[in-house]
Amino acid sequence: MKVKKYTGETMQDVIFQVKADLGPEAVIVNKRKFKKGGLFGFFGREMFEVVAALEAKSADSIAELSDSKGEEADDIVEISNYGRNSKKIERTKIQKTASKDPENKNAIKEFITDLKTAADSAAEKKNRKDQLDKEEIKVGLSEKSNKQQSNHHKNSQQYEENQQQNNKKQDFNNRQKVEPQKVENEESQLTAAQKLQNKFQNKSSGSSDQSKKLNNSNQLYNYLLDQGVDSRNVNLFLKQMDSQIDGDDSDFENQLKEFLAVYFADNGEINLTADQKIISFIGPTGVGKTTTMAKIAAHFAVDKNKKVGLITADTYRIAAVEQLQTYSKIIDIPFAVCYSSSRLEEMIRGQFRNCDLILIDTPGSSWKDQLQLGRLKGYVDHSFVDQVHLLLSLNTKSSDLRSIVSKFSELEPDRVLLTKLDETSSYGDIINIKENYNLPLSYLTFGQDVPEDLEAATADQIYKYLFGDFYA
């Protein structure tokens, strides 16, 4: 049996150390809380200590245990409650299970037999009732058939005409039911990106209706308001657009495309140079940081053949470490857990020194909790972190998005990464974020597939989301 002692400032940190070292099958033998430092027991720092054990499962260890205890191991059983109130009792006093007690086993067999007998009896009664119902139906059909035959010669012509009409109606109804069902089944197998592309293609095929297009600034103004863009930001957007294009609205679509290319010129994905690049991801809880990191890691490791490393500091969320570790094994890239921001730079300079790109997953924080936001400062230190990407879910209310960006601005994010574009139909906050904070966008995500549901936040991609219903 492997027994080790762990200490930490919080019980959660200690538990994660145990799981990371001994694995999920480790058992907590003892735990205590004590104070470290201080003066005469006062002003000390509260610490937690855990003694954990991992039971050896090999055949040799079992044999050694049996030899050391001798006959006593056969007669005496020690019942342990993780180090509390342990006691030894005779094996003969332990209640036997059904598998070791013939009497209990026979009783269970009799009980199962009674159940089967009752079920067979009920099934037999049901079969007899079904048989009687079938005979009554046959008799009724026979009588009905006789009546129809007696009147057949009188109404044969009318009957044939009605039958033909009914067949035509039935064929039409069947076609109406089958075709939508077939289309629905095909669409259910598509990814979010394919569905979006089909949506744009369908709109394009029916774009002959000129009334559905945006033909001037007045129509664009009303449309952006409907998309959730603040009226102030709509005026700023149109003012910039009018200053860069001429007043001719004959080719309004191309003018809008050209302006967006300038408006979102600072957007773009992570650009790797000859030097190592370190990217840290921050954002509120549930925004999708871990999945997005896996998408970006797979994109650079698989598609671009770069050396990528993953570091997670999210030791607060259950299974966050296991999730990112699973992705790292699938992609075959190095992975590590950082329990303290003070060790982050040392870890990067050590085991990740040969990586082209290092992605750091930070704990999700509530934008209302200043203490949680303060803990993230060590993971976004611009002295060794090249870029900080703030992740925002586009299905969040506009008022909450403003508060989130305002609070997280204390960590000095360099770019914004938008997630869950497939879970909303309003994309006006893309312009709100640009106008209010002037933060460039890096990526757009629109599903759970790794790495497919990830696109660089180029002007063309944003154009499809904002105006795809009209021009795509």
Side-chain angles (χ1 to χ4, degrees):
M1 176 179 292
K2 185 178 182 181
V3 181
K4 295 187 70 175
K5 184 185 296 184
Y6 301 86
T7 59
E9 295 181 358
T10 65
M11 180 58 71
Q12 192 173 23
D13 289 341
V14 177
I15 294 300
F16 271 105
Q17 291 181 43
V18 172
K19 297 300 183 183
D21 189 14
L22 299 181
E25 296 181 356
V27 176
I28 305 301
V29 177
N30 191 15
K31 59 182 180 181
R32 71 182 183 97
K33 182 168 62 175
F34 64 95
K35 290 189 176 181
K36 182 179 181 180
L39 183 62
F40 300 108
F42 296 99
F43 310 107
R45 185 174 54 179
E46 192 175 75
M47 300 290 289
F48 293 86
E49 180 182 87
V50 167
V51 178
L54 181 63
E55 184 178 359
K57 297 182 179 180
S58 64
D60 295 338
S61 62
I62 296 175
E64 291 175 3
L65 181 63
S66 300
D67 294 339
S68 63
K69 290 188 176 180
E71 296 180 356
E72 183 182 356
D74 296 330
D75 299 330
I76 302 299
V77 177
E78 181 177 359
I79 299 178
S80 174
N81 187 18
Y82 299 106
R84 301 188 301 273
N85 301 327
S86 299
K87 60 181 180 178
K88 296 182 179 182
I89 65 173
E90 296 182 5
R91 186 179 298 276
T92 55
K93 293 183 180 181
I94 299 177
Q95 185 178 357
K96 296 181 179 179
T97 60
S99 62
K100 297 183 179 181
D101 190 346
E103 295 181 0
N104 290 341
K105 188 182 295 185
N106 293 335
I108 292 174
K109 285 184 177 180
E110 291 177 3
F111 178 70
I112 294 174
T113 302
D114 292 340
L115 289 178
K116 288 183 177 180
T117 303
D120 293 341
S121 178
E124 185 177 354
K125 289 180 181 179
K126 186 178 183 303
N127 291 335
R128 285 202 301 268
K129 184 177 181 303
D130 292 343
Q131 188 66 27
L132 291 175
D133 291 342
K134 289 180 181 179
E135 292 179 358
E136 291 178 359
I137 292 172
K138 287 181 180 179
V139 172
L141 290 175
S142 179
E143 293 178 355
K144 184 177 181 179
S145 178
N146 292 334
K147 290 181 181 180
Q148 288 178 349
Q149 288 178 1
S150 63
N151 297 325
H152 175 72
H153 297 289
K154 297 180 181 179
N155 302 320
S156 59
Q157 185 176 359
Q158 185 67 27
Y159 175 78
E160 291 178 359
E161 293 177 358
N162 292 339
Q163 189 67 23
Q164 291 177 357
Q165 293 179 357
N166 290 336
N167 291 338
K168 290 180 180 180
K169 291 180 179 180
Q170 187 66 29
D171 292 340
F172 177 77
N173 292 333
N174 290 337
R175 286 196 302 271
Q176 292 293 99
K177 293 179 180 177
V178 171
E179 292 178 358
Q181 184 177 5
K182 181 179 179 182
V183 174
E184 182 178 355
N185 292 336
E186 292 177 352
E187 290 183 352
S188 64
Q189 299 176 357
L190 299 178
T191 63
Q194 290 171 330
K195 290 179 181 178
L196 184 65
Q197 185 178 5
N198 288 345
K199 175 184 175 182
F200 293 153
Q201 290 176 351
N202 293 335
K203 292 293 182 180
S204 178
S205 62
S207 60
S208 59
D209 188 1
Q210 297 296 326
S211 63
K212 292 184 179 181
K213 285 189 175 183
L214 298 175
N215 298 314
N216 52 60
S217 298
N218 291 331
Q219 294 179 358
L220 179 60
Y221 179 89
N222 294 327
Y223 172 73
L224 291 178
L225 287 179
D226 291 338
Q227 282 290 305
V229 183
D230 297 339
S231 58
R232 169 185 171 276
N233 294 332
V234 174
N235 290 324
L236 292 174
F237 181 86
L238 293 179
K239 184 178 179 179
Q240 296 179 61
M241 182 175 175
D242 292 338
S243 65
Q244 297 193 24
I245 62 176
D246 54 27
D248 185 12
D249 293 337
S250 59
D251 194 6
F252 193 76
E253 175 184 354
N254 287 332
Q255 291 176 356
L256 183 58
K257 279 186 177 181
E258 292 175 1
F259 170 68
L260 286 181
V262 177
Y263 188 73
F264 292 110
D266 294 335
N267 291 3
E269 62 178 334
I270 298 172
N271 183 22
L272 294 184
T273 59
D275 299 329
Q276 183 185 70
K277 181 153 289 189
I278 303 170
I279 310 293
S280 185
F281 295 86
I282 60 175
T285 56
V287 77
K289 290 190 299 298
T290 304
T291 304
T292 302
M293 276 186 57
K295 294 176 182 178
I296 296 175
H299 171 65
F300 280 94
V302 178
D303 298 339
K304 297 192 174 184
N305 196 27
K306 299 294 183 179
K307 296 179 181 178
V308 183
L310 294 179
I311 299 176
T312 181
D314 189 4
T315 58
Y316 296 96
R317 186 166 59 90
I318 297 175
V321 175
E322 288 80 357
Q323 181 182 1
L324 203 56
Q325 187 175 24
T326 301
Y327 282 129
S328 68
K329 290 180 179 178
I330 295 174
I331 308 172
D332 193 20
I333 58 178
F335 167 80
V337 181
C338 183
Y339 293 97
S340 175
S341 59
S342 60
R343 298 182 53 198
L344 181 60
E345 187 174 5
E346 178 185 354
M347 184 179 295
I348 292 174
R349 306 307 178 200
Q351 64 186 103
F352 293 94
R353 62 183 180 277
N354 295 324
C355 291
D356 301 317
L357 175 65
I358 300 174
L359 307 177
I360 304 172
D361 184 18
T362 63
S365 302
S366 171
W367 48 272
K368 297 181 179 180
D369 193 334
Q370 291 296 322
L371 181 60
Q372 289 185 355
L373 290 176
R375 293 172 182 169
L376 298 180
K377 290 185 178 180
Y379 297 102
V380 295
D381 188 352
H382 283 78
S383 64
F384 64 93
V385 174
D386 297 305
Q387 286 184 1
V388 178
H389 290 222
L390 172 60
L391 275 73
L392 300 175
S393 174
L394 210 59
N395 65 353
T396 308
K397 292 188 300 184
S398 298
S399 59
D400 288 339
L401 278 178
R402 288 194 293 270
S403 300
I404 292 171
V405 178
S406 177
K407 294 295 184 181
F408 275 90
S409 62
E410 299 177 6
L411 303 177
E412 301 179 1
D414 302 292
R415 292 180 178 271
V416 170
L417 195 157
L418 297 178
T419 64
K420 302 184 180 182
L421 270 73
D422 58 317
E423 298 182 13
T424 184
S425 57
S426 299
Y427 306 101
D429 282 317
I430 297 177
I431 296 179
N432 288 332
I433 293 170
K434 168 68 175 177
E435 288 294 340
N436 293 337
Y437 305 100
N438 197 27
L439 287 172
L441 305 179
S442 56
Y443 292 97
L444 308 173
T445 70
F446 41 85
Q448 295 295 318
D449 292 340
V450 177
E452 288 83 2
D453 296 339
L454 176 76
E455 290 286 350
T458 61
D460 290 339
Q461 289 297 327
I462 296 174
Y463 177 85
K464 291 180 181 179
Y465 281 102
L466 282 172
F467 309 108
D469 288 342
F470 294 96
Y471 298 115

